[in-house]
Amino acid sequence: MAQNTSALLALPTDILVLLPYHLANLEDFKELSSTCRQFRAICHSVSPNLILRLAAASSRTFFRPDPYFLVATTAKQIGYWALRNEENAVQLRQALKHGIGGLFDFRFTVINPVTDLIDRCAGKQWYNVEDFWDGGRSDAETIDCEPERALFEIAIYGSLFHATLEANLEGRRGLDLATRLDFIKYCIPDWYCRDYKGFHVEETGPYSKGRELVEPRMDQYSIRHILKSRTWRTPWEAARKQCGPDFEDDRRQKIWVSAVHMQGLEGFEMLRPDGAIRWREYLLGLREKIEKIDSTKMRSAEKDESGEINWLEFPILEDEIFCCVRGMWGTG
């Protein structure tokens, strides 16, 4: 067994990283991950989409009853999505005709197009342009981005803290900034997320055995780049503009931009052709709530110790990620 493992490890890294994508199920994935440190690191960096597909293949063993357990985890989102318009309902009915497995596969009709968009913001498509470092990209920089993983990380943040957004809009307190930063620190691990004055990262979770398990992941930094990318911002701007002009108040505008993003996986439908039209009624109501916010309540939730940044009480993923990675620039 040791000789076989050594022979595999002698292969080029570009080939080794492809091995998980040729596994049959989660049991094979677990075995590969436990073989040695190098394979463990490779398995640690695979895309969420692969894990989801391996989970589906393993459902008879790990997620009984098969495939009902996995379908149940996404059925609520699918139901809300289908109720938005007749076309969505028709697509769902077509998927249902393929049985419970068809319903599970239907989940990827939204995921795949958004993964492609993220890839054009910070993935292989973004890198694969002529003269990348010499004017081919105005935002050229070194980024290690896994588009599918970034998609799920953005979606989970939006779903997890959507109730906080709603509470803030109604004048109530939601989950505080410290909780949101903990999610980013430990659930979106990043090599650049490190201690600086007023900010601490505990040696737990993904950092419990040192940073070798995190390197070279740049998940936080990649998402910040994506959110600032013109390729990403353009379709979201189109969705917002159908509901009215931008707010002149910078604070309201920042909340508005973030709120539209925070709709979970189903919210990515706004990036599909004509998808934003189907969200117009909801977005109009959301914009109206933001317009009515008492400006005295748009206070800073708290400051970091250096006092350089005022953090809004409302969840703003881009700002919060900056708080987590700003140690890479040094803050004293």
Side-chain angles (χ1 to χ4, degrees):
M1 180 67 179
Q3 289 181 341
N4 292 337
T5 301
S6 298
L8 276 175
L9 293 176
L11 293 172
T13 303
D14 290 348
I15 294 178
L16 292 178
V17 297
L18 298 176
L19 287 178
Y21 294 85
H22 295 276
L23 299 176
N25 50 48
L26 276 182
E27 188 172 12
D28 289 348
F29 183 85
K30 181 176 73 70
E31 293 295 331
L32 179 65
S33 176
S34 63
T35 302
C36 66
R37 178 178 293 184
Q38 186 169 351
F39 280 136
R40 182 180 180 183
I42 289 172
C43 291
H44 188 75
S45 62
V46 300
S47 71
N49 205 350
L50 172 63
I51 298 297
L52 196 58
R53 292 189 184 280
L54 290 176
S58 306
S59 55
R60 284 190 173 88
T61 303
F62 296 100
F63 303 101
R64 297 176 181 175
D66 169 36
Y68 298 92
F69 182 93
L70 289 173
V71 171
T73 64
T74 57
K76 183 177 180 181
Q77 291 178 317
I78 294 174
Y80 277 113
W81 177 86
L83 282 175
R84 294 194 180 280
N85 57 72
E86 183 62 26
E87 182 181 344
N88 289 2
V90 170
Q91 289 186 50
L92 175 59
R93 288 193 65 187
Q94 290 299 319
L96 294 175
K97 292 177 182 178
H98 294 284
I100 197 71
L103 183 56
F104 177 79
D105 292 338
F106 184 66
R107 195 77 204 109
F108 295 94
T109 60
V110 172
I111 293 173
N112 291 338
V114 182
T115 299
D116 180 73
L117 175 64
I118 292 176
D119 192 49
R120 288 186 278 118
C121 292
K124 292 181 180 179
Q125 293 184 67
W126 176 68
Y127 269 116
N128 191 27
V129 296
E130 189 175 354
D131 298 325
F132 177 83
W133 292 108
D134 299 313
R137 290 290 187 192
S138 60
D139 57 349
E141 59 179 327
T142 300
I143 294 178
D144 181 15
C145 175
E146 169 47 60
E148 289 176 344
R149 187 167 65 223
L151 178 152
F152 280 94
E153 288 167 339
I154 294 171
I156 291 170
Y157 176 92
S159 295
L160 186 60
F161 299 113
H162 186 271
T164 291
L165 170 68
E166 292 289 346
N168 293 159
L169 291 174
E170 295 170 4
R172 298 180 288 108
R173 294 284 294 186
L175 293 172
D176 62 12
L177 176 62
T179 302
R180 303 198 300 270
L181 292 182
D182 277 348
F183 168 78
I184 296 171
K185 290 178 192 176
Y186 307 112
C187 297
I188 310 179
D190 193 299
W191 172 251
Y192 289 120
C193 184
R194 58 191 64 186
D195 288 2
Y196 62 86
K197 186 178 180 180
F199 184 84
H200 177 59
V201 182
E202 298 179 24
E203 293 183 355
T204 187
Y207 310 100
S208 61
K209 296 184 179 180
R211 291 189 170 269
E212 66 270 13
L213 293 183
V214 176
E215 188 180 11
R217 283 181 64 161
M218 300 173 62
D219 289 24
Q220 296 172 22
Y221 192 85
S222 296
I223 290 175
R224 183 169 181 263
H225 179 93
I226 291 164
L227 296 179
K228 293 168 68 68
S229 166
R230 170 55 57 183
T231 302
W232 175 262
R233 295 202 313 261
T234 297
W236 291 108
E237 288 173 358
R240 297 195 306 271
K241 285 182 179 179
Q242 69 174 345
C243 301
D246 289 344
F247 288 102
E248 294 183 3
D249 184 325
D250 289 342
R251 293 174 299 175
R252 290 184 201 276
Q253 179 63 16
K254 181 170 284 192
I255 295 169
W256 173 226
V257 170
S258 179
V260 175
H261 287 167
M262 294 186 61
Q263 306 305 319
L265 278 176
E266 62 268 29
F268 289 139
E269 184 198 8
M270 285 183 265
L271 303 181
R272 301 176 66 188
D274 299 325
I277 296 174
R278 299 161 192 159
W279 281 76
R280 186 172 185 273
E281 184 176 350
Y282 171 80
L283 294 180
L284 283 171
L286 187 62
R287 192 183 192 283
E288 184 178 355
K289 289 180 181 179
I290 294 172
E291 195 168 14
K292 292 180 178 179
I293 297 173
D294 183 345
S295 60
T296 61
K297 294 184 178 181
M298 290 193 293
R299 61 188 181 280
S300 303
E302 58 185 86
K303 295 181 181 180
D304 64 271
E305 192 172 310
S306 66
E308 293 182 18
I309 300 176
N310 295 326
W311 301 100
L312 291 171
E313 181 177 345
F314 294 82
I316 311 287
L317 179 58
E318 182 180 338
D319 286 357
E320 291 163 15
I321 282 183
F322 176 68
C323 182
C324 291
V325 299
R326 65 190 298 232
M328 67 180 288
W329 290 287
T331 58

